[in-house]
Each structure stands twice: as structure tokens, then as C-alpha cells.
Coordinates of all heavy atoms in Angstrom, one line a residue:
M1 N 54.7 142.0 88.3 CA 54.4 141.4 87.0 C 54.3 142.5 86.0 O 53.7 143.5 86.2 CB 53.0 140.7 87.2 CG 52.6 140.1 85.9 SD 51.0 139.4 86.3 CE 50.7 138.2 85.1
E2 N 54.9 142.2 84.9 CA 55.0 143.1 83.8 C 54.3 142.4 82.5 O 54.6 141.2 82.3 CB 56.4 143.5 83.4 CG 57.1 144.3 84.4 CD 56.6 145.7 84.4 OE1 56.2 146.2 83.4 OE2 56.7 146.4 85.5
I3 N 53.6 143.1 81.8 CA 53.0 142.7 80.5 C 53.8 143.3 79.4 O 53.9 144.5 79.3 CB 51.5 143.0 80.4 CG1 50.8 142.3 81.5 CG2 51.0 142.6 79.0 CD1 49.3 142.6 81.6
I4 N 54.4 142.5 78.6 CA 55.3 143.0 77.5 C 54.6 142.7 76.2 O 54.2 141.6 75.8 CB 56.6 142.2 77.5 CG1 57.3 142.3 78.9 CG2 57.5 142.7 76.4 CD1 58.5 141.4 79.1
D5 N 54.4 143.8 75.4 CA 53.8 143.7 74.1 C 54.8 143.1 73.2 O 56.0 143.4 73.2 CB 53.4 145.1 73.6 CG 52.2 145.6 74.3 OD1 51.3 144.8 74.8 OD2 52.1 146.9 74.4
S6 N 54.3 142.2 72.3 CA 55.2 141.5 71.4 C 54.6 141.4 70.0 O 53.6 140.7 69.8 CB 55.4 140.0 71.9 OG 56.2 139.3 71.0
P7 N 55.2 142.2 69.1 CA 54.7 142.2 67.7 C 55.1 140.8 67.1 O 56.1 140.2 67.4 CB 55.4 143.3 67.1 CG 56.7 143.5 67.8 CD 56.3 143.1 69.3
Y8 N 54.2 140.4 66.2 CA 54.4 139.1 65.5 C 54.6 137.9 66.3 O 55.2 136.9 65.9 CB 55.6 139.3 64.5 CG 55.6 140.5 63.7 CD1 56.5 141.5 63.9 CD2 54.6 140.6 62.7 CE1 56.4 142.7 63.1 CE2 54.5 141.8 61.9 CZ 55.4 142.8 62.2 OH 55.4 143.9 61.4
R9 N 54.0 137.9 67.6 CA 54.0 136.8 68.5 C 55.5 136.3 68.8 O 55.7 135.2 69.1 CB 53.2 135.6 67.9 CG 51.7 136.0 67.8 CD 50.9 134.9 67.3 NE 51.0 133.8 68.2 CZ 50.2 132.7 68.1 NH1 49.3 132.7 67.1 NH2 50.4 131.7 68.9
S10 N 56.4 137.2 68.7 CA 57.8 136.9 69.1 C 57.9 136.8 70.6 O 57.3 137.7 71.3 CB 58.7 137.9 68.5 OG 60.0 137.7 69.0
V11 N 58.6 135.9 71.1 CA 58.7 135.7 72.6 C 60.1 136.0 73.1 O 60.3 136.8 74.1 CB 58.3 134.3 73.0 CG1 58.5 134.0 74.5 CG2 56.9 134.0 72.6
I12 N 61.1 135.5 72.4 CA 62.5 135.6 73.0 C 63.0 137.0 73.0 O 63.5 137.5 74.0 CB 63.4 134.6 72.2 CG1 62.8 133.2 72.5 CG2 64.8 134.7 72.7 CD1 63.4 132.1 71.6
E13 N 63.0 137.6 71.9 CA 63.6 139.0 71.8 C 63.0 140.0 72.7 O 63.7 140.7 73.4 CB 63.5 139.5 70.3 CG 64.3 140.8 70.1 CD 64.3 141.2 68.7 OE1 64.0 140.4 67.8 OE2 64.6 142.4 68.4
P14 N 61.7 140.1 72.8 CA 61.1 141.1 73.8 C 61.5 140.8 75.3 O 61.8 141.7 76.0 CB 59.6 141.0 73.6 CG 59.4 140.4 72.2 CD 60.6 139.5 72.0
I15 N 61.5 139.5 75.6 CA 61.9 139.2 77.0 C 63.4 139.5 77.3 O 63.7 140.0 78.3 CB 61.6 137.7 77.3 CG1 60.1 137.5 77.3 CG2 62.2 137.3 78.6 CD1 59.7 136.0 77.4
V16 N 64.3 139.2 76.3 CA 65.7 139.4 76.5 C 65.9 140.9 76.6 O 66.7 141.4 77.4 CB 66.5 138.8 75.4 CG1 67.9 139.2 75.4 CG2 66.4 137.2 75.5
D17 N 65.2 141.7 75.7 CA 65.4 143.2 75.8 C 64.8 143.7 77.1 O 65.5 144.6 77.7 CB 64.6 143.8 74.6 CG 65.2 143.5 73.3 OD1 66.4 143.1 73.2 OD2 64.5 143.7 72.2
F18 N 63.7 143.2 77.6 CA 63.2 143.7 78.9 C 64.1 143.4 80.0 O 64.4 144.3 80.8 CB 61.8 143.1 79.1 CG 61.3 143.4 80.5 CD1 60.6 144.6 80.7 CD2 61.3 142.5 81.5 CE1 60.1 145.0 81.9 CE2 60.8 142.8 82.8 CZ 60.2 144.1 83.0
I19 N 64.7 142.3 80.0 CA 65.6 141.9 81.1 C 66.9 142.7 81.0 O 67.5 143.1 82.0 CB 65.9 140.4 81.1 CG1 64.6 139.7 81.5 CG2 67.0 140.0 82.1 CD1 64.6 138.2 81.4
G20 N 67.3 143.0 79.8 CA 68.5 143.8 79.6 C 68.3 145.2 80.1 O 69.2 145.8 80.7
Q21 N 67.1 145.8 79.8 CA 66.8 147.1 80.3 C 66.7 147.1 81.8 O 67.1 148.1 82.5 CB 65.5 147.6 79.7 CG 65.5 147.9 78.3 CD 64.2 148.2 77.7 OE1 63.2 148.2 78.3 NE2 64.2 148.4 76.3
F22 N 66.1 146.1 82.4 CA 66.0 146.0 83.9 C 67.4 146.0 84.5 O 67.7 146.6 85.5 CB 65.2 144.7 84.3 CG 65.2 144.5 85.7 CD1 64.2 145.2 86.5 CD2 66.0 143.7 86.4 CE1 64.1 145.0 87.8 CE2 65.9 143.5 87.8 CZ 65.0 144.1 88.5
Q23 N 68.3 145.2 83.9 CA 69.7 145.1 84.5 C 70.5 146.4 84.3 O 71.3 146.7 85.1 CB 70.4 143.9 83.8 CG 69.9 142.6 84.3 CD 70.7 141.4 83.8 OE1 71.0 141.4 82.6 NE2 71.0 140.5 84.7
E24 N 70.2 147.1 83.2 CA 70.9 148.4 83.1 C 70.4 149.4 84.1 O 71.2 150.2 84.6 CB 70.6 149.0 81.7 CG 71.3 148.3 80.6 CD 70.9 148.8 79.2 OE1 70.1 149.8 79.1 OE2 71.4 148.2 78.2
S25 N 69.1 149.3 84.5 CA 68.7 150.2 85.6 C 69.0 149.8 87.0 O 68.9 150.5 87.9 CB 67.1 150.4 85.4 OG 66.5 149.2 85.6
H26 N 69.4 148.5 87.1 CA 69.8 148.0 88.4 C 71.2 147.3 88.3 O 71.3 146.1 88.3 CB 68.8 146.9 88.9 CG 67.4 147.5 89.1 ND1 66.5 147.5 88.1 CD2 66.8 148.0 90.2 CE1 65.4 148.1 88.5 NE2 65.5 148.4 89.8
P27 N 72.3 148.1 88.2 CA 73.6 147.5 88.0 C 74.1 146.8 89.2 O 73.8 147.2 90.3 CB 74.5 148.7 87.6 CG 73.8 149.8 88.2 CD 72.3 149.5 88.1
G28 N 74.8 145.7 89.0 CA 75.4 145.0 90.2 C 74.4 144.1 90.9 O 74.8 143.6 92.0
V29 N 73.3 143.8 90.4 CA 72.3 143.0 91.0 C 72.1 141.7 90.2 O 72.0 141.7 89.0 CB 70.9 143.7 91.1 CG1 69.8 142.8 91.7 CG2 71.0 145.0 92.0
F30 N 72.1 140.6 90.9 CA 71.8 139.3 90.2 C 70.3 139.3 89.9 O 69.4 139.6 90.8 CB 72.1 138.1 91.1 CG 73.6 137.8 91.1 CD1 74.4 138.3 92.1 CD2 74.2 137.1 90.0 CE1 75.8 138.1 92.1 CE2 75.5 136.9 90.0 CZ 76.3 137.3 91.0
T31 N 69.9 138.8 88.8 CA 68.5 138.7 88.3 C 68.1 137.2 88.2 O 68.8 136.5 87.5 CB 68.3 139.4 87.0 OG1 68.8 140.7 87.1 CG2 66.9 139.4 86.5
T32 N 67.1 136.8 88.8 CA 66.6 135.5 88.7 C 65.4 135.4 87.8 O 64.4 136.2 88.0 CB 66.1 134.9 90.1 OG1 67.3 135.0 91.0 CG2 65.7 133.5 90.0
I33 N 65.4 134.6 86.8 CA 64.4 134.5 85.8 C 63.8 133.1 85.9 O 64.5 132.1 85.9 CB 64.9 134.7 84.4 CG1 65.5 136.1 84.3 CG2 63.8 134.5 83.3 CD1 66.9 136.1 83.8
I34 N 62.5 133.0 86.2 CA 61.8 131.7 86.3 C 61.0 131.4 85.1 O 60.1 132.2 84.7 CB 60.9 131.7 87.6 CG1 61.8 132.0 88.8 CG2 60.2 130.3 87.7 CD1 61.0 132.3 90.1
I35 N 61.3 130.3 84.4 CA 60.6 129.9 83.2 C 59.8 128.6 83.4 O 60.4 127.6 83.9 CB 61.6 129.7 82.1 CG1 62.5 130.9 81.9 CG2 61.0 129.3 80.8 CD1 63.7 130.7 80.9
P36 N 58.5 128.7 83.1 CA 57.7 127.4 83.2 C 58.1 126.5 82.1 O 58.2 126.9 80.9 CB 56.3 127.9 83.2 CG 56.4 129.2 82.4 CD 57.7 129.8 82.7
V37 N 58.1 125.2 82.4 CA 58.4 124.2 81.4 C 57.2 123.2 81.4 O 56.9 122.6 82.4 CB 59.7 123.4 81.6 CG1 59.9 122.3 80.6 CG2 60.9 124.4 81.6
F38 N 56.5 123.1 80.3 CA 55.4 122.1 80.2 C 55.9 120.7 80.1 O 56.8 120.5 79.3 CB 54.5 122.5 79.0 CG 53.8 123.8 79.1 CD1 54.1 124.8 78.2 CD2 52.9 124.0 80.1 CE1 53.5 126.0 78.3 CE2 52.3 125.3 80.2 CZ 52.6 126.2 79.3
V39 N 55.4 119.8 80.9 CA 55.8 118.4 80.9 C 54.6 117.6 80.4 O 53.7 117.4 81.2 CB 56.3 117.9 82.2 CG1 56.7 116.5 82.1 CG2 57.5 118.8 82.7
P40 N 54.5 117.3 79.2 CA 53.3 116.5 78.7 C 53.4 115.1 79.1 O 54.4 114.5 79.5 CB 53.4 116.7 77.1 CG 54.9 116.9 76.9 CD 55.4 117.6 78.1
R41 N 52.3 114.4 78.8 CA 52.2 113.0 79.2 C 53.0 112.1 78.2 O 53.6 111.1 78.6 CB 50.8 112.5 79.1 CG 49.9 113.1 80.2 CD 48.5 112.6 80.3 NE 47.8 113.2 81.3 CZ 46.5 113.1 81.5 NH1 45.8 112.2 80.8 NH2 45.9 113.7 82.5
N42 N 53.0 112.5 77.0 CA 53.8 111.7 76.0 C 55.1 112.4 75.6 O 55.1 113.6 75.5 CB 52.9 111.6 74.7 CG 51.6 110.9 75.0 OD1 51.6 109.9 75.7 ND2 50.5 111.4 74.4
W43 N 56.1 111.6 75.4 CA 57.4 112.2 75.1 C 57.5 113.0 73.8 O 58.2 114.0 73.7 CB 58.5 111.2 75.1 CG 58.4 110.1 74.0 CD1 57.7 109.0 74.1 CD2 58.9 110.3 72.7 NE1 57.7 108.3 72.9 CE2 58.5 109.1 72.0 CE3 59.7 111.2 72.1 CZ2 58.8 108.9 70.7 CZ3 60.0 111.0 70.7 CH2 59.6 109.8 70.1
W44 N 56.7 112.6 72.8 CA 56.8 113.3 71.6 C 56.1 114.6 71.6 O 56.4 115.5 70.8 CB 56.1 112.4 70.5 CG 54.7 112.0 70.7 CD1 53.6 112.7 70.5 CD2 54.3 110.7 71.3 NE1 52.5 112.0 70.8 CE2 52.9 110.8 71.3 CE3 55.0 109.6 71.7 CZ2 52.2 109.7 71.9 CZ3 54.2 108.6 72.2 CH2 52.8 108.6 72.3
D45 N 55.2 114.8 72.6 CA 54.6 116.2 72.7 C 55.6 117.2 73.2 O 55.4 118.4 73.0 CB 53.4 116.1 73.7 CG 52.2 115.3 73.1 OD1 52.1 115.2 71.9 OD2 51.4 114.8 73.9
S46 N 56.6 116.8 73.9 CA 57.6 117.8 74.4 C 58.4 118.4 73.3 O 58.9 119.5 73.4 CB 58.6 117.1 75.4 OG 59.3 116.1 74.7
I47 N 58.5 117.7 72.1 CA 59.1 118.3 71.0 C 58.4 119.6 70.5 O 59.1 120.6 70.2 CB 59.2 117.3 69.8 CG1 60.1 116.1 70.2 CG2 59.7 117.9 68.6 CD1 60.0 114.9 69.3
L48 N 57.1 119.6 70.6 CA 56.3 120.8 70.2 C 56.3 121.9 71.3 O 56.3 123.0 70.9 CB 54.9 120.3 69.9 CG 54.7 119.4 68.7 CD1 53.3 118.9 68.7 CD2 55.2 120.0 67.4
H49 N 56.3 121.5 72.6 CA 56.0 122.5 73.6 C 57.3 123.1 74.2 O 57.2 124.2 74.6 CB 55.3 121.8 74.7 CG 53.8 121.5 74.4 ND1 52.9 122.5 74.2 CD2 53.2 120.4 74.2 CE1 51.7 122.0 73.9 NE2 51.9 120.7 73.9
N50 N 58.4 122.5 74.2 CA 59.5 122.9 75.0 C 60.6 123.6 74.2 O 61.6 124.0 74.7 CB 60.1 121.8 75.8 CG 59.2 121.4 77.0 OD1 58.4 122.2 77.4 ND2 59.4 120.2 77.4
Q51 N 60.4 123.8 72.9 CA 61.4 124.5 72.1 C 61.6 125.9 72.5 O 62.8 126.4 72.5 CB 61.1 124.3 70.6 CG 61.0 122.9 70.1 CD 62.3 122.1 70.4 OE1 63.4 122.6 70.2 NE2 62.1 120.9 70.9
T52 N 60.6 126.6 72.8 CA 60.7 128.1 73.2 C 61.5 128.2 74.5 O 62.3 129.1 74.6 CB 59.3 128.7 73.3 OG1 58.6 128.5 72.1 CG2 59.4 130.2 73.6
T53 N 61.3 127.3 75.4 CA 62.0 127.3 76.6 C 63.5 127.1 76.4 O 64.3 127.8 77.0 CB 61.4 126.2 77.6 OG1 60.0 126.4 77.8 CG2 62.2 126.2 78.9
L54 N 63.8 126.2 75.6 CA 65.3 126.0 75.3 C 65.9 127.2 74.7 O 67.0 127.6 75.1 CB 65.5 124.7 74.4 CG 65.0 123.4 75.0 CD1 65.1 122.3 74.0 CD2 65.9 123.1 76.2
F55 N 65.3 127.8 73.7 CA 65.9 129.0 73.0 C 65.9 130.1 74.0 O 66.9 130.9 74.0 CB 65.0 129.3 71.8 CG 65.1 128.3 70.7 CD1 64.0 127.9 70.1 CD2 66.3 127.8 70.3 CE1 64.0 126.9 69.0 CE2 66.4 126.8 69.3 CZ 65.3 126.4 68.7
L56 N 64.9 130.3 74.9 CA 64.9 131.4 75.8 C 66.0 131.2 76.8 O 66.7 132.2 77.2 CB 63.5 131.5 76.5 CG 63.3 132.7 77.4 CD1 63.5 134.0 76.7 CD2 61.9 132.6 78.0
K57 N 66.2 130.0 77.3 CA 67.2 129.8 78.3 C 68.6 130.0 77.7 O 69.5 130.6 78.4 CB 67.2 128.3 78.8 CG 66.1 128.1 79.8 CD 66.0 126.6 80.2 CE 67.2 126.0 80.7 NZ 67.0 124.6 81.2
T58 N 68.8 129.6 76.5 CA 70.1 129.9 75.8 C 70.4 131.4 75.6 O 71.5 131.8 75.9 CB 70.1 129.2 74.4 OG1 69.9 127.8 74.6 CG2 71.4 129.4 73.7
A59 N 69.3 132.1 75.3 CA 69.5 133.6 75.1 C 69.8 134.3 76.4 O 70.5 135.2 76.4 CB 68.3 134.1 74.4
L60 N 69.1 133.8 77.5 CA 69.3 134.5 78.7 C 70.6 134.2 79.5 O 71.0 134.9 80.4 CB 68.1 134.2 79.6 CG 66.7 134.8 79.2 CD1 65.6 134.2 80.0 CD2 66.8 136.3 79.2
R61 N 71.2 133.1 79.2 CA 72.4 132.7 79.9 C 73.7 133.4 79.3 O 74.8 133.1 79.8 CB 72.6 131.2 79.7 CG 71.7 130.4 80.5 CD 72.0 128.9 80.5 NE 71.1 128.2 81.3 CZ 71.0 126.9 81.3 NH1 71.7 126.2 80.5 NH2 70.2 126.2 82.1
A62 N 73.5 134.4 78.5 CA 74.6 135.1 77.9 C 75.4 135.9 78.9 O 76.6 136.1 78.8 CB 74.1 136.0 76.7
K63 N 74.7 136.4 79.9 CA 75.3 137.2 80.9 C 75.4 136.4 82.3 O 74.5 135.7 82.6 CB 74.6 138.5 81.2 CG 74.6 139.4 80.0 CD 74.2 140.8 80.4 CE 74.4 141.7 79.2 NZ 74.1 143.1 79.5
K64 N 76.5 136.7 83.0 CA 76.8 135.9 84.2 C 76.0 136.5 85.4 O 75.9 135.8 86.4 CB 78.3 135.9 84.5 CG 79.1 135.2 83.5 CD 80.5 135.1 83.9 CE 81.3 134.3 82.8 NZ 82.7 134.2 83.2
S65 N 75.4 137.6 85.3 CA 74.6 138.2 86.4 C 73.1 137.7 86.4 O 72.3 138.2 87.1 CB 74.7 139.7 86.3 OG 74.1 140.2 85.1
R66 N 72.8 136.7 85.6 CA 71.5 136.2 85.5 C 71.4 134.8 86.0 O 72.3 134.0 85.7 CB 71.0 136.2 84.0 CG 70.9 137.6 83.4 CD 70.4 137.5 82.0 NE 70.4 138.8 81.4 CZ 70.4 139.0 80.1 NH1 70.4 138.1 79.3 NH2 70.4 140.3 79.7
I67 N 70.4 134.5 86.7 CA 70.1 133.1 87.2 C 68.9 132.6 86.5 O 67.8 133.3 86.7 CB 70.0 133.0 88.7 CG1 71.2 133.6 89.4 CG2 69.7 131.6 89.2 CD1 71.1 133.8 90.8
V68 N 69.0 131.6 85.7 CA 67.8 131.1 84.9 C 67.4 129.8 85.5 O 68.1 128.9 85.6 CB 68.2 130.9 83.4 CG1 67.0 130.4 82.7 CG2 68.7 132.2 82.8
T69 N 66.1 129.8 86.0 CA 65.5 128.6 86.7 C 64.3 128.1 85.9 O 63.5 129.0 85.4 CB 65.1 128.9 88.1 OG1 66.3 129.5 88.8 CG2 64.6 127.7 88.8
T70 N 64.1 126.9 85.8 CA 62.9 126.3 85.1 C 62.1 125.6 86.2 O 62.7 124.9 87.1 CB 63.3 125.4 84.0 OG1 64.1 124.3 84.5 CG2 63.9 126.1 82.8
V71 N 60.8 125.7 86.1 CA 59.9 125.1 87.0 C 59.0 124.2 86.1 O 58.3 124.7 85.2 CB 59.0 126.1 87.8 CG1 58.0 125.4 88.6 CG2 59.9 127.0 88.6
R72 N 58.9 122.9 86.4 CA 58.1 122.0 85.6 C 56.6 122.2 85.9 O 56.2 122.3 87.1 CB 58.6 120.6 85.9 CG 59.9 120.3 85.3 CD 60.3 118.9 85.6 NE 61.7 118.7 85.0 CZ 62.2 117.5 84.9 NH1 61.6 116.4 85.3 NH2 63.4 117.4 84.4
Y73 N 55.8 122.2 84.9 CA 54.4 122.2 85.0 C 53.8 121.0 84.3 O 53.9 120.9 83.1 CB 53.8 123.5 84.4 CG 52.4 123.7 84.5 CD1 51.7 124.0 85.7 CD2 51.6 123.5 83.4 CE1 50.4 124.1 85.7 CE2 50.2 123.6 83.4 CZ 49.6 123.9 84.6 OH 48.2 124.0 84.7
Y74 N 53.3 120.1 85.0 CA 52.8 118.8 84.5 C 51.4 119.0 83.9 O 50.5 119.5 84.5 CB 52.8 117.7 85.5 CG 54.2 117.3 85.9 CD1 54.8 117.9 87.0 CD2 54.9 116.4 85.2 CE1 56.1 117.6 87.4 CE2 56.2 116.0 85.6 CZ 56.8 116.6 86.7 OH 58.1 116.3 87.0
L75 N 51.3 118.6 82.6 CA 50.0 118.7 81.9 C 49.1 117.5 82.2 O 49.6 116.4 82.3 CB 50.2 118.9 80.4 CG 51.0 120.2 80.0 CD1 51.2 120.2 78.5 CD2 50.1 121.4 80.5

């Protein structure tokens, strides 16, 4: 487990940079990234909670050596 400092509460850029550095130090290795997805009781709540997950998945799928998996967490 790694704790990544993030200025200005930014989430996507620090995570993408960290994974990029990890892959540079471990060339030729597939990396699995597990992202929790909040599943709220009401459908309209998902509009507020899951936007970061969608943007993060899109940013991480840029390279073919990454496996991005989401795990649902029911609220």
C-alpha cells in the first residue's frame, strides 16, 4: 500500500503518474489496478459519486500493459 500526496485534492494525475513510474521501474510486467466503485441506493446519487472512477479508468486504459478492474462497493 502506498500513500500518495495530492496537492489541490487532485486524484487522477497523481495516480496516473505513480503507476507510470511503477511501470518504468518494472518493464514488461502487466499491472492490475483495482478501483472501488460506490453503488448508491438511488440512481441519481451515482451521478455525483462515480465520475472520478470513470475519468480514472479512461486515463489508465491508455497503455496496453495495464489491467483496470472495478469492484463494486454497495452503500
Side-chain angles (χ1 to χ4, degrees):
M1 178 183 199
E2 293 284 333
I3 297 173
I4 304 169
D5 290 330
S6 176
Y8 309 112
R9 296 181 60 169
S10 174
V11 175
I12 297 168
E13 187 176 341
I15 293 174
V16 171
D17 291 342
F18 175 78
I19 293 171
Q21 291 173 1
F22 177 82
Q23 288 185 316
E24 287 176 4
S25 64
H26 299 87
V29 175
F30 282 97
T31 305
T32 301
I33 300 124
I34 301 171
I35 304 171
V37 178
F38 296 115
V39 180
R41 292 183 182 176
N42 301 317
W43 64 270
W44 57 84
D45 291 335
S46 65
I47 296 170
L48 298 174
H49 288 290
N50 291 334
Q51 299 304 315
T52 303
T53 303
L54 295 174
F55 293 133
L56 185 58
K57 282 173 60 174
T58 303
L60 291 173
R61 288 184 177 170
K63 292 195 176 182
K64 295 183 179 182
S65 61
R66 296 177 183 163
I67 301 167
V68 181
T69 304
T70 54
V71 176
R72 293 181 179 191
Y73 179 77
Y74 292 93
L75 298 176

